[in-house]
């Protein structure tokens, strides 16, 4: 089965539109391009990746599509358009014409208003994603789960994947938080057709994280979504805040060791091919 990294980034801070990026963080605030990732992909036999936006601009979408045109391992791009600007419907239509443009990801985790996605003026964006047959990457925190459930129920035809298991607070080691997150993820899994990205758990854990710290969260998503709706992603280079690519990949393999070969093939490739409709 083809091997897919379903979530990675490239960026160049000199472009100036990565407002979230701390300028004093030596790990993040530097350029990352295809040549930087190539050794890790080769080491793990990963055939293709999905390149995901990291800046809230249409220019970011176009920048990534340029990289995809020049980089054989990039199977597709998840970009960005401005849901607060209905005129960007034209931009979404134009981007959708590119064979490697897969969908969009509003940076909801960074928006101060937790109810932003419920606003009337942004509903056209969700409807347009569904109309164009694009995919929607749901980026948020556990506090957004109820609102995401509302949106996914409102637009059942919109193909959605929950990014990064919705970023549970693993570092906090709170039973109450785990239950809150787990209940919200169960509702998304059972009441909608959404998929889930098995990614970024390490960056929500402490610096001295262990596989055992991640296991309750991984076990829960596999229980409620099942391997056929889960895809592995590295979240590289953000993952480097906690470990290198190799260690997270090894942890993910440990956490899926109990699955059948067929199910592991889904998690590490097949699910992403199916969900995003990758031509690989």
């Amino acid at each position: 089965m083809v091997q897919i990294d379903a979530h990675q980034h490239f960026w160049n801070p000199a472009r100036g539109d990565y407002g979230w990026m701390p300028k004093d963080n030596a790990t993040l605030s530097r350029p990352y391009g295809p040549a930087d990732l190539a050794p890790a992909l080769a080491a793990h036999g990963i055939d293709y990746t999905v390149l995901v936006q990291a800046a809230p601009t249409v220019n970011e979408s176009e920048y990534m599509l340029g990289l995809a045109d020049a980089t054989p391992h990039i199977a597709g791009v998840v970009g960005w358009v401005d849901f607060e600007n209905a005129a960007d419907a034209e931009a979404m239509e134009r981007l959708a014409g590119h064979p490697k443009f897969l969908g969009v990801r509003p940076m909801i985790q960074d928006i101060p208003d937790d109810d932003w996605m419920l606003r009337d003026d942004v509903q056209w964006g969700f409807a347009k994603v569904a109309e164009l047959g694009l995919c929607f990457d749901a980026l948020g925190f556990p506090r957004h789960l109820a609102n995401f459930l509302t949106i996914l129920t409102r637009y059942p035809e919109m193909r959605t994947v929950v990014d990064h298991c919705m970023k549970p607070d693993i570092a906090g080691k709170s039973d109450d938080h785990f239950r809150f997150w787990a209940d919200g993820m169960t509702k998304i899994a059972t009441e909608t057709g959404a998929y889930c990205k098995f990614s970024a758990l390490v960056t929500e854990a402490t610096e001295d994280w262990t596989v055992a710290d991640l296991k309750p969260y991984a076990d829960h998503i596999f229980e409620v979504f099942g391997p056929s709706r889960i895809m592995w992603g590295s979240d590289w280079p953000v993952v480097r805040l906690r470990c290198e690519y190799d260690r997270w990949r090894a942890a993910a393999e440990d956490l899926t060791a109990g699955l059948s070969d067929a199910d592991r093939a889904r998690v590490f490739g097949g699910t992403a091919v199916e969900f995003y409709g990758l031509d690989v």
Side-chain angles (χ1 to χ4, degrees):
M1 174 66 74
V2 66
Q3 296 280 306
I4 307 287
D5 178 343
H7 198 105
Q8 56 95 185
H9 307 284
F10 294 133
W11 58 61
N12 184 350
R15 288 182 46 234
D17 52 359
Y18 305 97
W20 60 272
M21 187 181 294
K23 292 182 173 57
D24 59 352
N25 187 299
T27 299
L28 298 179
S29 190
R30 47 152 286 192
Y32 285 99
D36 299 303
L37 181 57
L41 299 181
H44 297 282
I46 294 170
D47 303 293
Y48 300 100
T49 71
V50 175
L51 179 60
V52 181
Q53 65 81 228
T57 63
V58 172
N59 285 342
E60 167 81 339
S61 300
E62 294 166 344
Y63 166 72
M64 292 190 301
L65 288 173
L67 289 173
D69 285 339
T71 309
H73 78 68
I74 300 175
V77 164
V78 175
W80 186 95
V81 298
D82 189 356
F83 277 34
E84 295 184 5
N85 179 10
D88 262 18
E90 182 178 341
M92 196 188 300
E93 290 172 355
R94 175 174 56 80
L95 292 165
H98 192 291
K100 287 192 174 182
F101 191 78
L102 306 176
V104 297
R105 184 177 81 151
M107 299 181 77
I108 289 172
Q109 71 171 24
D110 296 331
I111 296 173
D113 179 8
D114 287 351
D115 293 329
W116 175 89
M117 70 184 90
L118 304 180
R119 284 170 30 178
D120 289 343
D121 63 322
V122 305
Q123 297 308 301
W124 73 269
F126 301 109
K128 196 69 173 177
V129 169
E131 175 192 326
L132 293 173
L134 295 171
C135 298
F136 179 77
D137 270 54
L139 174 68
F141 292 110
R143 67 177 185 268
H144 295 108
L145 278 163
N147 284 346
F148 273 125
L149 181 62
T150 297
I151 291 298
L152 271 56
T153 303
R154 184 178 297 172
Y155 302 99
E157 69 280 18
M158 182 175 68
R159 290 185 292 148
T160 299
V161 59
V162 173
D163 279 6
H164 308 325
C165 304
M166 202 56 72
K167 294 195 166 186
D169 179 15
I170 300 173
K173 301 182 185 296
S174 163
D175 290 342
D176 287 344
H177 177 84
F178 178 85
R179 284 191 294 270
F180 176 81
W181 168 82
D183 288 348
M185 291 294 280
T186 298
K187 289 177 182 177
I188 294 284
T190 58
E191 298 180 26
T192 81
Y195 287 56
C196 182
K197 284 189 178 176
F198 179 36
S199 56
L201 292 182
V202 293
T203 46
E204 302 309 311
T206 57
E207 290 186 5
D208 59 348
W209 66 272
T210 66
V211 171
D213 294 330
L214 313 181
K215 192 174 189 309
Y217 300 87
D219 285 351
H220 184 72
I221 65 162
F222 278 98
E223 178 184 351
V224 297
F225 284 92
S228 65
R229 290 163 65 195
I230 292 174
M231 62 190 82
W232 178 81
S234 66
D235 196 29
W236 185 92
V238 180
V239 70
R240 298 192 66 233
L241 293 171
R242 288 292 181 268
C243 67
E244 294 300 336
Y245 196 107
D246 297 343
R247 188 178 173 207
W248 163 232
R249 175 71 179 199
E253 290 175 351
D254 283 350
L255 291 164
T256 56
L259 299 181
S260 68
D261 289 346
D263 284 346
R264 284 166 62 87
R266 289 283 307 188
V267 172
F268 292 105
T271 299
V273 172
E274 176 186 278
F275 175 78
Y276 282 118
L278 302 179
D279 183 17
V280 297

